[in-house]
Amino acid sequence: MPIRPVEDDLRDVGKAVAWAEGLVAAAGVPHALRNDIQVCIEEALANLIMHGRAESAKTIQLNVDADKTTALIQISDACAPFDVAAAPLPEADPARTGGAGLKLLRAFAHEVRYARADGRNILTLVFSTEDASRHALDPASLPLVRSIPAFAEMADATLVDLLGAGRLRRYAGGEKLMTQGDPSEHAVLLLDGDVAVLNESRHGAAPVARISAPALLGEIGALARLPRTASIVATGPIKVLEIDREPLLDAFSHAPAMLVSVIAQLGTQIKNTNTALGLYASGFAALERGDIEAELKDDLRNPSGELRNFATAFERLAQRITQERRTRNEMESAALIQRQMLPLGVTDPAGRCDLHAEIRTARNVGGDFYDMIWLDDHRLALAVGDVCGKGSPAALFMCVTVTMLRLAAREGLPLDEMMRKVNALLYAQNPSCLFATLFFGVLDLETRTLAYLNCGHNPPYVLSADGACAELASGGPPLGVVPDKLWPMHTLALKLGDGLFVFSDGVTEAMDPAQKEYGDERLANLLRAQTGWGAEALIQTVMADVDRFAAGAEQADDITCLAMVLR
Amino acid sequence: MQLTVEDLPNGVTKAVLVGRLDIDGAAAVDMRFNVLAGAKRALVVDLSKVDFVASMGLRTLMSAARSIASKGGRMALAGPQDHVLKVLSTSGVQDIIPVRASVDDAIAVVTA
């Protein structure tokens, strides 16, 4: 459907009318109708430009859709609500020189419909060579109508009478023919085009089916005086015959077979709904498992028989399942990468310290990492970090960071120079603007000194043999954020029995079911009470306490702990 | 939109409009038409070469007719094409300004 924005300026109206006239003429609409169309467009646009009130831009749009017999004109705008179809006409007054516009518009357009949607007025004008007041089905279209089961057995005379009582209507794509919950005033015989059936709830409008002409819609509601069970929206230009309840009942009294057919139709619909619900249930179960059998996928992709109406909804479900599975696979491989990068079971062969590290990944792969590498026989590098973001990009960034740290740590540079170099390299090759917080320390087991620096990571605790628990220095930006940075290097002298507890914010930011955070204080208090414990016991105590605190609340972030105790 | 004016015998003035009396057309002739209506007492507007009219164009015609009527003069429209006549009748303008098929018939109306 061609669309043209119209400026909020009377001088643009002539150009807009000429644009529409060009389209309508090219479609072969007869001249007499084309003049009426031009008059109506000028009236509608002039009315909006002169009288429409909008808080910001009116954003007027003109849409034209025409074929040889019918022109659908839609004019939409962001002005205050104004129902062109129902507004009272100004009284004829010789003294007045204006006010004729609305009258001309309503007289010339064969159908005038107004709708308000998404803060816009939508005016639909229909012009047709077929007379809307009279049933305009030529006998040639009877076979089409007869292909609808309800009309298959009906006598010619009854059918012609019934159709003769209908009103021929045309709708533009996007127009609503029926609104769920509204009283059912008439049935709709869809003669040309497609409609979407929407189920509207407070969760939004869900397309449940798509129906193509010929079809009879809303007849059960109209007969039984039920509210509309669903909304119906034209997906493109459509032609329908609206048939009121009375003639419908009249036709039934002459053709009981039609009643039977409607009941049969109802039965089929219930069966279809049950089958569709079954398929949905299987689909969602597959979604939960993250797995879908080929057969179920086939059923969703190519629904058979009447279930074809649900094809779009099924297709979306199938796509979602496939996508979910792909995401899951990606997550799993990212988790695998993450796990394989991290060293397991690092110990000190000389027995000078006790080491342990653990990582517990959240449901969606996070970017936590730790590292413990021997630089020589008495110097041990310890690292805990957290790459921002989740999924494969974060996992890959983590791999690069860990690898660079391992290589750089062996070059023998001072710690601050080494980190400056790693940061510059990470910054230079970082198209996704990822970054990593990092605690990095080198423990010299001969001198029992820890040289460390902190790149935006939460500060670790140093645990004294006498039960004290102190935060190490923190500060500085994470890695990969600024091009050049020298982080301050700190040195800490340790004693026998002292420990180091390095962790990620997944520990202190763990949530309980009431969304309260675990917090630094609880951790510090817990660590103070663990004097004399080994590294593994320390970590398991913390993990268990976090679990107790979370009380079943879902883990939102990776939880990483690294502990070292001198002995 | 073109407007040509011709003085006829018996104090009748003929105004010939040519083109589209749409928003742009009305804006183009409004001023001259008003001046004309203010000066004349018997005005015939030949619409035979007007291809299009909508309410903004009707306003030009209506305000001229009102101005002439206020001085006790008369105005008539002549020879509209079918689709223009449809606009004149649907809007009710036909009930206020006499519309005749030919210029001669319209002259008869304004000189009666």
Side-chain angles (χ1 to χ4, degrees):
Chain A
M1 191 181 225
I3 300 178
R4 183 192 188 279
V6 181
E7 287 168 42
D8 187 13
D9 182 340
L10 283 178
R11 283 170 299 188
D12 196 34
V13 174
K15 292 178 209 138
V17 171
W19 173 81
E21 159 66 7
L23 290 170
V24 171
V29 174
H31 186 267
L33 218 50
R34 274 159 41 205
N35 183 67
D36 293 358
I37 293 170
Q38 292 179 57
V39 169
C40 291
I41 296 176
E42 179 176 311
E43 301 303 353
L45 292 178
N47 188 52
L48 277 174
I49 292 165
M50 292 191 298
H51 306 299
R53 284 192 313 276
E55 280 177 19
S56 51
K58 292 182 186 174
T59 62
I60 304 170
Q61 278 192 347
L62 173 63
N63 299 17
V64 174
D65 200 341
D67 60 25
K68 261 209 302 280
T69 61
T70 306
L72 290 162
I73 310 290
Q74 280 193 313
I75 293 166
S76 69
D77 61 88
C79 293
F82 178 73
D83 184 349
V84 173
L89 288 174
E91 274 184 38
D93 179 359
R96 274 181 56 118
T97 50
L102 205 52
K103 196 167 167 184
L104 284 173
L105 188 149
R106 297 229 284 251
F108 282 13
H110 300 152
E111 296 168 41
V112 180
R113 270 190 305 273
Y114 169 80
R116 179 90 184 167
D118 303 327
R120 296 179 67 80
N121 296 305
I122 302 163
L123 174 67
T124 306
L125 305 172
V126 183
F127 301 85
S128 175
T129 54
E130 295 167 324
D131 186 349
S133 63
R134 187 161 58 76
H135 105 84
L137 290 176
D138 58 75
S141 63
L142 274 182
L144 177 87
V145 176
R146 283 222 183 278
S147 68
I148 299 168
F151 300 127
E153 304 290 322
M154 194 175 273
D156 270 357
T158 313
L159 187 54
V160 168
D161 277 354
L162 178 64
L163 300 180
R167 293 177 300 275
L168 205 54
R169 288 282 181 269
R170 284 162 185 83
Y171 290 86
E175 272 201 279
K176 223 182 225 189
L177 289 72
M178 292 182 194
T179 303
Q180 189 177 320
D182 277 4
S184 304
E185 311 283 359
H186 54 255
V188 166
L189 178 56
L190 181 62
L191 294 166
D192 192 22
D194 290 357
V195 296
V197 181
L198 303 180
N199 179 266
E200 300 199 58
S201 69
R202 59 202 167 90
H203 311 297
V208 292
R210 194 183 167 108
I211 296 174
S212 301
L216 184 62
L217 308 167
E219 77 282 12
I220 294 164
L223 286 167
R225 291 188 194 277
L226 293 170
R228 297 288 187 206
T229 52
S231 293
I232 303 222
V233 173
T235 53
I238 60 162
K239 184 163 125 178
V240 302
L241 196 67
E242 294 176 353
I243 307 172
D244 287 338
R245 182 171 184 268
E246 295 310 319
L248 214 52
L249 275 178
D250 208 36
F252 271 116
S253 64
H254 288 98
M258 184 176 168
L259 197 60
V260 173
S261 140
V262 168
I263 293 169
Q265 178 79 11
L266 197 57
T268 311
Q269 269 178 26
I270 292 172
K271 178 174 162 282
N272 286 341
T273 309
N274 285 341
T275 315
L277 277 176
L279 258 181
Y280 269 118
S282 311
F284 280 110
L287 199 52
E288 269 177 11
R289 286 198 310 273
D291 182 30
I292 181 168
E293 299 111 35
E295 211 173 312
L296 175 60
K297 198 163 169 179
D298 266 2
D299 281 352
L300 287 174
R301 286 257 147 85
N302 305 301
S304 57
E306 289 289 317
L307 285 180
R308 270 194 298 272
N309 289 341
F310 296 91
T312 330
F314 283 153
E315 176 65 21
R316 278 173 39 234
L317 183 58
Q319 270 172 10
R320 185 80 185 82
I321 293 171
T322 313
Q323 187 195 339
E324 179 80 2
R325 190 191 200 175
R326 207 174 293 143
T327 313
R328 244 177 240 226
N329 287 345
E330 186 189 88
M331 290 290 183
E332 273 163 16
S333 56
L336 199 66
I337 293 168
Q338 191 181 42
R339 277 197 298 276
Q340 288 183 342
M341 282 303 289
L342 307 176
L344 288 172
V346 177
T347 54
D348 177 13
R352 291 159 295 186
C353 69
D354 184 25
L355 291 166
H356 192 71
E358 246 176 62
I359 189 161
R360 196 194 284 172
T361 48
R363 192 156 163 265
N364 297 324
V365 177
D368 272 16
F369 62 92
Y370 66 83
D371 209 1
M372 297 186 276
I373 30 168
W374 288 102
L375 301 178
D376 50 39
D377 62 2
H378 63 280
R379 289 190 312 135
L380 176 68
L382 300 172
V384 171
D386 182 0
V387 175
C388 77
K390 291 186 180 300
S392 301
L396 287 172
F397 191 81
M398 188 213 92
C399 290
V400 172
T401 308
V402 169
T403 308
M404 280 187 186
L405 286 169
R406 284 180 186 172
L407 291 171
R410 291 178 201 279
E411 282 181 22
L413 292 168
L415 211 49
D416 51 356
E417 283 299 336
M418 172 211 134
M419 203 55 72
R420 177 189 216 161
K421 193 172 165 185
V422 169
N423 175 64
L425 286 167
L426 282 175
Y427 180 86
Q429 295 294 327
N430 189 6
S432 315
C433 295
L434 291 165
F435 60 84
T437 68
L438 175 73
F439 170 85
F440 192 87
V442 176
L443 179 66
D444 187 326
L445 289 164
E446 281 183 355
T447 59
R448 289 188 182 134
T449 51
L450 175 73
Y452 69 92
L453 42 74
N454 191 331
C455 312
H457 198 77
N458 46 318
Y461 288 105
V462 58
L463 315 168
S464 307
D466 57 13
C469 171
E471 270 186 10
L472 292 187
S474 61
L479 289 174
V481 176
V482 290
D484 183 41
K485 169 75 188 170
L486 200 63
W487 277 267
M489 187 171 66
H490 306 273
T491 313
L492 180 72
L494 295 166
K495 302 185 299 294
L496 203 65
D498 284 355
L500 184 68
F501 186 80
V502 196
F503 59 99
S504 69
D505 57 9
V507 175
T508 45
E509 289 172 11
M511 299 276 190
D512 71 2
Q515 299 283 294
K516 213 175 91 206
E517 278 190 7
Y518 184 84
D520 296 309
E521 208 182 318
R522 179 161 175 155
L523 179 60
N525 287 337
L526 183 71
L527 292 173
R528 254 178 222 115
Q530 308 303 319
T531 317
W533 290 57
E536 185 170 357
L538 208 56
I539 288 174
Q540 279 171 2
T541 307
V542 170
M543 291 274 191
D545 193 51
V546 169
D547 282 345
R548 236 188 330 275
F549 176 80
E554 194 187 1
Q555 183 189 337
D557 202 357
D558 292 353
I559 292 177
T560 304
C561 299
L562 182 153
M564 185 285 302
V565 180
L566 287 177
R567 57 185 186 198
Chain B
M1 176 102 264
Q2 292 169 15
L3 167 63
T4 52
V5 181
E6 187 185 343
D7 285 321
L8 303 177
N10 302 325
V12 176
T13 302
K14 181 172 81 164
V16 183
L17 287 169
V18 179
R20 288 173 68 87
L21 193 53
D22 56 7
I23 292 177
D24 297 331
V29 298
D30 239 355
M31 184 79 88
R32 284 181 62 205
F33 220 79
N34 270 336
V35 171
L36 197 63
K40 307 294 180 183
R41 295 184 62 106
L43 181 63
V44 167
V45 184
D46 181 354
L47 294 179
S48 60
K49 294 196 169 54
V50 169
D51 305 317
F52 178 88
V53 68
S55 66
M56 295 288 270
L58 295 179
R59 189 148 83 169
T60 301
L61 299 176
M62 287 286 286
S63 90
R66 195 169 55 167
S67 164
I68 290 175
S70 71
K71 300 191 306 276
R74 284 182 179 187
M75 172 173 144
L77 305 175
Q81 298 173 37
D82 284 350
H83 60 274
V84 170
L85 180 61
K86 186 176 169 188
V87 174
L88 295 174
S89 63
T90 308
S91 61
V93 167
Q94 195 180 19
D95 305 332
I96 299 161
I97 312 175
V99 180
R100 294 295 180 269
S102 69
V103 171
D104 286 345
D105 291 350
I107 290 172
V109 171
V110 298
T111 52

